[in-house]
Amino acid sequence: MLYTPTAMIIAQSILVTPIIAALTRQVIEDMHSEYDELLRSMGSRRLSTVATLLWDARYSLLTAALAGLGRALAEVGAVMIVGGNINHVTRVMTTAIALETSKGALALALGLGIILVGLSILVNAGLMGLRKSAERLAYA
């Protein structure tokens, strides 16, 4: 399983899960302390309380997911350890940047880095645009 894309996915999941879990826990805990009395006074059961908290915290949870995505996109070490840097098999953009930098091809490494940052910005902008449009619909 070593030096396979599956190993890389497992390594990324092990790295990203605690970050997303900690941020999610904090968001839900804050929401629960804010809405606990209201939900109890309305007779809300556990399942409907969880659904309400998840719905109200959806944008904050999206931010937690983006934090995990950012961590995954920036990871080089774990991916290099378990996946190597095998061309057309386990080479990802971050390992390609590391390889090109070590070879001295700084222009190519910088270009790949700019593409990676651009993709991150594009994903963030798209999700934030989605959030703004959903907020406008909610207030309309």
Side-chain angles (χ1 to χ4, degrees):
M1 185 144 129
L2 199 57
Y3 303 120
T4 64
T6 303
M8 295 168 67
I9 292 168
I10 292 169
Q12 291 281 43
S13 298
I14 290 170
L15 287 172
V16 170
T17 300
I19 295 168
I20 295 174
L23 291 172
T24 299
R25 185 196 152 283
Q26 187 62 50
V27 165
I28 296 301
E29 183 180 325
D30 292 345
M31 295 291 285
H32 185 263
S33 66
E34 184 177 340
Y35 291 124
D36 184 41
E37 286 185 31
L38 174 65
L39 292 171
R40 279 192 290 131
S41 70
M42 293 174 59
S44 179
R45 300 211 172 155
R46 185 174 294 254
L47 188 59
S48 62
T49 297
V50 170
T52 300
L53 292 176
L54 289 175
W55 180 255
D56 282 351
R58 64 190 181 274
Y59 298 123
S60 298
L61 295 175
L62 185 62
T63 303
L66 284 175
L69 176 66
R71 176 67 176 108
L73 288 176
E75 180 53 41
V76 178
V79 171
M80 192 81 87
I81 291 169
V82 300
N85 196 9
I86 304 166
N87 197 18
H88 301 296
V89 179
T90 60
R91 183 168 295 160
V92 293
M93 195 170 288
T94 52
T95 59
I97 292 169
L99 174 69
E100 297 303 327
T101 301
S102 68
K103 289 185 347 186
L106 299 179
L108 179 56
L110 185 61
L112 289 171
I114 290 170
I115 291 170
L116 187 59
V117 169
L119 286 172
S120 296
I121 290 170
L122 189 65
V123 167
N124 277 294
L127 289 174
M128 291 304 120
L130 179 67
R131 177 182 177 173
K132 292 293 183 191
S133 67
E135 285 176 351
R136 272 184 265 143
L137 288 175
Y139 293 120

